[in-house]
Amino acid sequence: MARAERKTPGTAGKRRLTALVAAAGLGALVLTGCGGQSGAGDASASSSEAGGGDKTLRVSAAASLTTSFDQLSDEFEKDHPGVNVDVNYGGSSGLVQQLTEGAPADVFASADQKNMKKLTNADLTQGEPKIFATNVLTLVVPKDNPAGITSVQDVLDKKVKLVTCAPEVPCGAATQKVEKANGVELKPVSQENAVTDVLGKVTSGQADAGIVYVTDAKAAGDKVTTIEIPKTDEAINKYPIVALNKSEQPELAAQFVDLVTGERGQKMLKDAGFGTP
């Protein structure tokens, strides 16, 4: 089963933390050389005060947004000195379960509207969710394509190890729609709870083929070969984002949503292969 991935604070945050640790270590050495243990405590206090102004914005986001939201988080940190963006990536359904069970977060970005509606029905959102991107599916095979797959029909005719998303997550639900549209029944050897896990099994050679979003295929670069699936336009996923009403950083949460839905965010998402809202 897939587990949610976590993005640690961005490069700016890491540089601040490294600087603080280095400063604290140097201060401790200097003060120790002067023979005063109480001085080491003063250095520790100074270090604590230096980092006291930092804030953390917690974002829960669909796994298919990993590359784009890593970039958007770095942009946000540049625009907001002293703010670290901590992103929890995973399957949208799993993230919703975490949030409804009380997991702390300031922003939620889902890979479909169905899972977002669960949050709005639970009265956990601040305002109406905004659609900020769309996505469709594609078939990917490892770069060397050991099974010789050239079409979706090959997946049906040959004895290949196909991996898809589980039906309860957005990419899995979309896969079912594509199956229905094409009048076929796929027989995956495993179903994952995050699209990144599907891609990982293909790139590592554990699977002969996998169904992922076009954005994941693009992010994988030359690690995979992409094969078009017919009628994916009948299974377009719309991505909504919203600030959460229990956010400890409501202003920052609203500003992050604005970045994602604004001109800069939309350009970054388009460059990653996402469709427009």
Side-chain angles (χ1 to χ4, degrees):
M1 300 291 285
R3 293 181 297 179
E5 300 174 18
R6 288 187 180 274
K7 173 184 176 292
T8 54
T11 52
K14 289 178 180 177
R15 285 196 295 270
R16 286 193 295 273
L17 179 59
T18 302
L20 288 173
V21 172
L26 179 60
L29 286 173
V30 172
L31 290 167
T32 300
C34 294
Q37 289 185 347
S38 59
D42 292 341
S44 177
S46 298
S47 175
S48 176
E49 290 173 3
D54 285 357
K55 297 180 180 179
T56 297
L57 181 71
R58 295 163 300 189
V59 178
S60 288
S64 53
L65 292 166
T66 300
T67 300
S68 298
F69 268 43
D70 278 356
Q71 295 173 349
L72 285 163
S73 297
D74 288 342
E75 285 294 303
F76 193 81
E77 289 176 349
K78 291 176 185 177
D79 293 343
H80 299 79
V83 174
N84 295 324
V85 182
D86 185 1
V87 189
N88 178 25
Y89 295 112
S92 296
S93 59
L95 294 175
V96 168
Q97 182 176 349
Q98 293 173 18
L99 295 172
T100 55
E101 290 177 353
D106 304 295
V107 176
F108 174 57
S110 175
D112 69 350
Q113 294 170 287
K114 179 181 178 181
N115 281 289
M116 179 62 79
K117 189 165 182 59
K118 294 177 184 177
L119 277 195
T120 59
N121 288 344
D123 295 325
L124 294 177
T125 59
Q126 181 66 44
E128 288 295 319
K130 298 178 180 179
I131 303 298
F132 66 94
T134 59
N135 216 345
V136 293
L137 299 174
T138 190
L139 183 70
V140 292
V141 297
K143 182 180 180 180
D144 56 355
N145 194 10
I149 299 169
T150 60
S151 68
V152 176
Q153 192 61 42
D154 286 340
V155 175
L156 299 171
D157 294 342
K158 297 182 178 183
K159 293 183 179 179
V160 302
K161 291 182 288 186
L162 172 69
V163 179
T164 66
C165 290
E168 60 268 21
V169 295
C171 56
T175 298
Q176 289 186 324
K177 291 179 182 178
V178 170
E179 286 182 81
K180 184 176 181 180
N182 286 283
V184 299
E185 182 180 356
L186 300 174
K187 296 181 179 180
V189 295
S190 73
Q191 295 178 314
E192 307 299 320
N193 284 339
V195 68
T196 47
D197 293 325
V198 175
L199 184 65
K201 288 200 170 184
V202 174
T203 57
S204 66
Q206 297 179 64
D208 297 318
I211 294 179
V212 300
Y213 292 117
V214 293
T215 52
D216 296 287
K218 184 173 183 178
D222 60 5
K223 293 180 180 179
V224 299
T225 296
T226 301
I227 299 170
E228 185 177 350
I229 300 176
K231 300 184 179 181
T232 54
D233 58 346
E234 296 188 27
I236 298 174
N237 275 22
K238 296 181 179 180
Y239 286 57
I241 187 171
V242 72
L244 302 179
N245 60 16
K246 293 185 179 180
S247 169
E248 295 181 0
Q249 306 290 347
E251 291 186 9
L252 291 175
Q255 290 168 7
F256 188 84
V257 172
D258 288 342
L259 172 63
V260 173
T261 57
E263 184 176 347
R264 274 196 300 164
Q266 289 297 292
K267 183 181 184 307
M268 294 173 73
L269 288 161
K270 182 179 179 180
D271 290 344
F274 285 95
T276 56

